[in-house]
Amino acid sequence: MNVKIQYAFLPHNDADESLKFYRDMLGFEVRKDVGYNDLRWITLGPVGQSDVSIVLHPPAVDPGITDAERATILDLMAKGSYGAVTLASDDLDALFEKVAAAGADVVQEPTDQNYGVRDCAFRDPSGNLVRIDQL
């Protein structure tokens, strides 16, 4: 029996700005863009890896949460400490230069970590931390 990761979910507070980051800066392909009222759920992922996707979703729309919980989620997003994902690239430095030159919010330039990983980090337009490891 195999288990794989199919979707990971990250909140967004501006679908168009998120598309600029994930599609235009990182090169992800859009697989679905579903709207409901003023809300959008966008499924996207790396070209050639159709079996794994990120779903960008409106934050705090679950009807089961309270107004206080919704406010907490939005506060954590504003601080950039709510959502995170780690990606990987076979050319970390080139990807970093491309994404940084496009205007992304740089959190960390490419760094050799003492735990054996070379990585960099950005914040997407909604504050999610996006780390990128060197493959």
Side-chain angles (χ1 to χ4, degrees):
M1 173 173 48
N2 296 317
V3 178
K4 66 176 190 170
I5 296 172
Q6 186 168 8
Y7 300 107
F9 288 76
L10 291 173
H12 76 79
N13 51 26
D14 186 321
D16 292 327
E17 289 301 312
S18 293
L19 276 173
K20 289 178 186 173
F21 181 80
Y22 288 97
R23 181 192 59 206
D24 302 342
M25 293 183 187
L26 291 176
F28 283 9
E29 63 184 6
V30 176
R31 297 174 181 153
K32 292 181 186 175
D33 190 341
V34 178
Y36 177 76
N37 293 330
D38 292 335
L39 307 173
R40 287 170 66 189
W41 286 255
I42 303 167
T43 304
L44 41 70
V47 174
Q49 295 182 33
S50 61
D51 60 340
V52 63
S53 300
I54 293 173
V55 179
L56 303 173
H57 64 90
V61 294
D62 184 336
I65 64 173
T66 67
D67 289 342
E69 292 167 332
R70 182 172 293 109
T72 299
I73 290 169
L74 296 176
D75 285 347
L76 289 171
M77 284 179 64
K79 292 179 180 177
S81 55
Y82 184 70
V85 65
T86 299
L87 309 173
S89 172
D90 61 355
D91 193 342
L92 175 69
D93 293 288
L95 181 59
F96 174 83
E97 292 301 325
K98 174 187 169 191
V99 175
D105 181 7
V106 175
V107 175
Q108 175 203 301
E109 294 186 7
T111 302
D112 293 317
Q113 304 291 351
N114 61 7
Y115 46 86
V117 173
R118 180 171 175 76
D119 66 358
C120 67
F122 298 94
R123 289 215 188 280
D124 78 6
S126 297
N128 299 302
L129 181 63
V130 179
R131 298 198 75 80
I132 305 173
D133 289 357
Q134 173 68 50
L135 286 174

